[in-house]
Amino acid sequence: GWVDGRQLCTITDPDYGILLPLRDVHPAPSSATVPSSSKEGPTEITSLPRGELIWKHGPTRGVGTSQDGADQQMAWHSPHTDGVSDRENKITAPESLRHPTLDDKETSPFKLKEDQMRRGGSHSLTGLVSEPYGVWSSLPSEKGRRGLPLEVESMVEVNSPPLYGVIRWIGEVPTQTETLAGLEMEVALQTGCTDGTYCGRRYFRCPPNKALFVKLKTCRPDSRFHSLSPSGNPVERFNSLDFKNCNSPRVRENTPPEKGRAAMDVIQGWRKGIQGHCNSCYLDATLFCMFAFNSVLDTLLLRPRATDDSELYSETRDLLRTEIVNPLRRDGYVSATKVMALRKILEGAGSSTGFTSEEKDPEEFLNQLFQLLKTEPLLKIRAGRQEPQDCTSHQIFFQDKGSIRIPTVQKLLELSFQHSDLKLTEAPSCLILQMPRFGKNFKMFDLVLPTLELNITDLLEDTPRECRICGQLAYVECRECYKDPDLAPGKVKQFCVACSEQVHRHLTRKNHSPCPVLLPEELRGKVEFPGIIPQQTMQLFAVLCIQTSHYVAFVKHGTGDDHWLFFDSMADREGGQNGFNIPRVAQCPEVADYLAMKPEDLEAMDPKAIPSSARRLLLDASMCFYYSQSLCLYK
C-alpha cells in the first residue's frame, strides 16, 4: 500500500497490490471471490499470468505515472524467461496506447493529444495518445463473464486502455493451469511480445513483437466492432444508442469539394469525417476516398431519375448526396446514423446480406452501390479478342512476381494486363485498383509503392503508342518480349514495323508471335504520327488501407505534393457498450516524401525509420484511386 514514500492503504502481501485509475475498476459479479489480503494463493481476480504489468514499489523498478503525477514503480512479467525470477524482468509500460477513455466532455481528445506532444511523448496517427497510467489488467472482463463466443480469428481487446488484436491460437501450456490465447496485436509492442513463441515453443507465426499471450478469460470482443455484441439485432441496438449529440444535418444544395487550405479548415480534426459504427469502417473509408475532395464520381449523385428507375433509386441517390456527401464537404462530418440508413438500403436491395452488421470488402460495397444506382461501369476491359467486360474496379493479379521486392502500382498494373492479355477499350475517368492481396492477411508483397502519376497509354486500345526502340508510331506488340531484360526492362513492348523485324531476328526471339496494335482508323497505314504521341495519364487521389480487419484512408486534399490527410472512422470511442465512435481526420504531409521515392531507395531504408503514417500507407495499401484530370470534366 506504499507509493513513493506514502502509505495509501494497508495490504499485507505486496504480491496482491495493484494501483490503477478508478475508472478502470469494475464491479465484480456476485459469484466472484473477494481478494484476500492473507498469504493464501491468488484469487481468480488477482492472479496475474506472465506477460502482464503489475504495479510494484521500490528503487529498482521501472517508473510509471499515477493520476496525481507521482512517480510509481512497476515490474514486467515476461513470457521470454524461463528459470529467471519475474521480479528481475523489469521494464516501463508503453508510453503510447491507442484508445484512452474520455472521462468527461471536458477532457477532449484535442487536449490529450496536445498535452502529450508538448511533453515529447510518442504518438500514433491511428488513435489518441494516453498517459502510461494504466495496467495491463488481468481482471476478468464483463463481456467475458457474459460468455460471448471467442475463437481463433476473433477480434479482441485486452487491458485498459485497450490494445487490439486477433486471436491466432487458443490452448494450454505446461507452465499455466488456465487456457491461454495467443494474440496477433494490431501494432507491434516494444516489450513483452514475440513472433508467436511462448517460453521457447512456437504456437503460431506473425511479425516480430506482435504476439502476446494472455489468459483467454481476459479477452473481450473488440469494442470498435460489434459483430460479437450480445444484441441479436445490431440495427435495433444502434437505434438505442445515444447519438443525439453526434447527428449531422441534411444539405440539399449541391456542394463541390473544397481543396487545399479551405478543405483543411472544414474537415481536419476530431469528430471529423464519417463516424463509424458496427463494422462500417470498410464503407466509411471507401466513401471518404470517393467523395471527400474529388468530384470524379459525382455522376453517382446527379443522374436524374429515368422512367424505368424505381423509388429506391431516388431514395438512395438523394440519401447519398444530401445526407452523406454534401454534409461531408460542407461541414466535414457525417453521423453514423446517415451511413446506417445507406447500409439498410444496401441490405434490402441485393442478394448479398450483412451490410448492416458484418465486415464486408470495399469492392462488394462498390459493386452493390453501382448496381443500385444503375451507374455506367468505370472500366471496359477486353481479354484477348473477347467481348469487353464492364467493371467497377480492377483486381491486380499475376502468378510470378519474379525478383520484384518493392513494386510500384504502375509495374503491378502492367504485369496484371500482360499476364491476362488485357486492354482497356476506352480511357477511364476514374480507375480503382485492388492490390494483389488475398483475404485480409495474405499479401503478395510486404510493401507496395503507389504511383503518383499512372501512365495507361500502353494499356489502351485504339490509341497511338510509341515504338519502344525509335519512338515512332507502333504497329505491333509482343507480350513474350515483356520480360526481356535487354529491351527496356519492365515496359510494355510495342514496336514499329522496322524495329519489330530487327528485334525478332534475334535467335531467342525468332519464335515470338507479335500481335497488331489496334489504332484509330485515321492513323492506320501511316509511318509517322503528326507531332508528339500523346500520353494518357491518371493522378492518384486516395489510398484505402487495411490492417487487422480495420480500414482507414489516405486522401489527397489539394494540388500540393504534401496535401495528404489520414482518416479513421473509429479513431477513438466514447462510452462503453452503448457508446459511440469518434472519427478523426489528421494531416500527414510526411507521406509525400516516401511516395516520391524510387523503389530501390525505399528498399535500402530501414523500415523502422519510416514514420508510422507512411509505413501504414506503404505496407497496408488495399485499393488505389486514380482520376483523369481531363476526362473527369466531361466523362
Side-chain angles (χ1 to χ4, degrees):
W2 288 81
V3 178
D4 198 33
R6 290 189 299 135
Q7 185 175 15
L8 304 182
C9 59
T10 300
I11 301 175
T12 57
D13 192 324
D15 285 339
Y16 299 155
I18 301 176
L19 181 68
L20 69 163
L22 181 62
R23 60 172 170 263
D24 293 335
V25 182
H26 308 283
S30 57
S31 61
T33 304
V34 178
S36 170
S37 61
S38 69
K39 287 207 176 262
E40 297 177 359
T43 66
E44 177 184 351
I45 292 180
T46 59
S47 61
L48 289 167
R50 290 186 176 189
E52 297 184 357
L53 283 175
I54 60 174
W55 290 93
K56 296 290 184 183
H57 320 298
T60 63
R61 306 295 186 183
V63 178
T65 305
S66 68
Q67 285 178 299
D68 62 2
D71 286 344
Q72 308 298 337
Q73 314 297 330
M74 67 183 72
W76 172 252
H77 291 257
S78 171
H80 298 284
T81 57
D82 284 327
V84 180
S85 171
D86 290 333
R87 291 182 176 84
E88 298 303 317
N89 230 5
K90 314 174 189 71
I91 61 163
T92 56
E95 187 175 281
S96 176
L97 297 175
R98 290 193 41 161
H99 298 280
T101 304
L102 298 180
D103 293 329
D104 50 53
K105 294 181 180 178
E106 300 301 317
T107 308
S108 72
F110 298 94
K111 187 175 187 304
L112 287 172
K113 173 75 173 179
E114 292 168 358
D115 290 349
Q116 182 73 5
M117 291 183 69
R118 281 196 294 270
R119 287 189 294 269
S122 60
H123 61 282
S124 168
L125 276 171
T126 57
L128 286 172
V129 177
S130 74
E131 301 294 323
Y133 53 77
V135 298
W136 290 23
S137 173
S138 66
L139 299 178
S141 70
E142 287 289 329
K143 295 181 181 178
R145 286 197 292 267
R146 285 198 287 266
L148 296 179
L150 291 179
E151 56 189 6
V152 174
E153 302 304 325
S154 291
M155 295 182 296
V156 296
E157 60 185 47
V158 291
N159 312 324
S160 181
L163 296 171
Y164 301 96
V166 177
I167 296 179
R168 298 300 187 201
W169 172 85
I170 295 175
E172 310 290 338
V173 298
T175 57
Q176 296 288 338
T177 59
E178 297 189 48
T179 300
L180 296 190
L183 311 183
E184 180 178 348
M185 306 309 293
E186 189 169 283
V187 294
L189 302 179
Q190 294 181 351
T191 54
C193 285
T194 68
D195 63 350
T197 60
Y198 183 86
C199 293
R201 181 177 177 183
R202 178 169 298 283
Y203 292 92
F204 65 95
R205 294 184 182 276
C206 71
N209 299 321
K210 279 198 170 186
L212 180 66
F213 289 84
V214 297
K215 290 182 180 179
L216 180 61
K217 68 181 183 182
T218 67
C219 298
R220 307 180 296 273
D222 192 324
S223 60
R224 299 171 301 174
F225 314 104
H226 296 286
S227 58
L228 293 178
S229 127
S231 171
N233 188 332
V235 178
E236 291 180 2
R237 197 184 72 79
F238 175 87
N239 293 334
S240 71
L241 301 182
D242 184 11
F243 278 90
K244 61 181 181 292
N245 296 323
C246 302
N247 205 6
S248 56
R250 174 181 297 178
V251 179
R252 295 188 179 277
E253 63 271 16
N254 289 333
T255 308
E258 297 286 358
K259 297 283 188 180
R261 173 51 58 185
M264 291 289 298
D265 293 341
V266 170
I267 208 167
Q268 181 189 3
W270 289 95
R271 298 185 189 270
K272 291 294 186 177
I274 302 173
Q275 183 184 30
H277 172 73
C278 191
N279 295 328
S280 70
C281 60
Y282 74 94
L283 192 146
D284 307 326
T286 304
L287 286 172
F288 195 86
C289 287
M290 294 168 66
F291 296 111
F293 307 109
N294 203 298
S295 59
V296 66
L297 293 170
D298 279 14
T299 50
L300 277 76
L301 314 174
L302 304 174
R303 181 177 73 81
R305 180 182 173 186
T307 55
D308 60 340
D309 288 331
S310 66
E311 288 289 344
L312 189 59
Y313 166 77
S314 299
E315 180 184 354
T316 308
R317 179 203 60 192
D318 294 345
L319 172 65
L320 185 61
R321 184 180 74 244
T322 65
E323 305 276 12
I324 297 177
V325 176
N326 287 347
L328 177 64
R329 291 173 175 176
R330 190 192 74 173
D331 305 323
Y333 173 74
V334 178
S335 168
T337 57
K338 306 304 175 69
V339 179
M340 179 57 81
L342 177 62
R343 297 169 71 183
K344 290 178 182 177
I345 292 177
L346 296 171
E347 175 85 12
S351 57
S352 179
T353 61
F355 277 101
T356 58
S357 59
E358 299 175 5
E359 293 178 47
K360 292 285 186 179
D361 293 324
E363 56 269 25
E364 187 174 358
F365 159 63
L366 287 172
N367 290 334
Q368 184 83 324
L369 182 65
F370 272 66
Q371 291 174 14
L372 190 58
L373 295 178
K374 296 183 179 180
T375 305
E376 286 191 18
L378 298 178
L379 308 176
K380 295 182 182 294
I381 299 179
R382 188 195 306 276
R385 299 305 175 191
Q386 301 177 15
E387 288 298 314
Q389 299 294 315
D390 296 339
C391 310
T392 302
S393 60
H394 174 64
Q395 171 67 66
I396 291 176
F397 174 79
F398 50 89
Q399 292 180 335
D400 182 18
K401 67 178 184 179
S403 59
I404 303 173
R405 297 188 61 183
I406 300 181
T408 63
V409 170
Q410 178 80 48
K411 179 71 173 178
L412 294 176
L413 182 59
E414 292 178 355
L415 276 171
S416 181
F417 270 56
Q418 287 290 304
H419 176 267
S420 302
D421 192 17
L422 304 178
K423 280 290 185 285
L424 294 164
T425 60
E426 58 184 51
S429 59
C430 181
L431 177 59
I432 302 176
L433 299 175
Q434 301 174 51
M435 296 300 100
R437 54 190 301 158
F438 307 99
K440 295 179 176 62
N441 299 316
F442 177 75
K443 299 185 294 184
M444 181 173 285
F445 299 95
D446 292 333
L447 185 151
V448 172
L449 181 60
T451 303
L452 292 171
E453 184 175 75
L454 196 67
N455 192 324
I456 61 170
T457 308
D458 296 338
L459 309 179
L460 288 166
E461 286 185 354
D462 291 330
T463 299
R465 295 155 61 183
E466 287 183 349
C467 171
R468 192 60 67 193
I469 304 297
C470 68
Q472 296 296 321
L473 191 63
Y475 273 87
V476 297
E477 177 182 334
C478 183
R479 292 175 59 210
E480 294 159 297
C481 285
Y482 180 74
K483 294 184 178 180
D484 193 322
D486 297 327
L487 295 171
K491 300 289 186 180
V492 177
K493 306 303 190 300
Q494 65 258 346
F495 310 102
C496 65
V497 175
C499 289
S500 178
E501 291 177 355
Q502 183 69 26
V503 165
H504 290 99
R505 286 176 186 168
H506 196 281
L507 291 176
T508 60
R509 307 186 194 105
K510 278 189 173 182
N511 295 325
H512 289 188
S513 302
C515 299
V517 171
L518 296 179
L519 292 172
E521 187 174 349
E522 62 272 17
L523 293 179
R524 295 171 190 171
K526 292 188 176 182
V527 177
E528 296 185 0
F529 184 82
I532 299 175
I533 296 178
Q535 301 296 299
Q536 297 281 354
T537 60
M538 306 188 76
Q539 311 301 316
L540 179 70
F541 71 92
V543 180
L544 187 69
C545 296
I546 179 175
Q547 184 185 65
T548 321
S549 301
H550 184 58
Y551 286 92
V552 297
F554 291 86
V555 183
K556 204 164 189 295
H557 68 87
T559 56
D561 293 340
D562 60 350
H563 286 179
W564 284 92
L565 292 176
F566 170 82
F567 165 66
D568 185 350
S569 66
M570 302 178 181
D572 190 36
R573 185 167 180 83
E574 186 167 314
Q577 180 72 10
N578 289 326
F580 51 85
N581 293 309
I582 301 175
R584 184 193 186 196
V585 179
Q587 294 187 70
C588 53
E590 64 275 11
V591 304
D593 295 334
Y594 297 89
L595 290 173
M597 292 180 68
K598 296 180 180 179
E600 53 269 25
D601 296 334
L602 199 57
E603 187 175 339
M605 290 190 64
D606 180 0
K608 296 179 181 178
I610 302 176
S612 60
S613 56
R615 189 166 59 248
R616 187 165 190 180
L617 188 153
L618 298 172
L619 268 65
D620 302 325
S622 173
M623 189 175 279
C624 293
F625 293 74
Y626 289 87
Y627 81 107
S628 169
Q629 291 179 324
S630 56
L631 291 177
C632 71
L633 298 176
Y634 62 89
K635 183 179 180 182

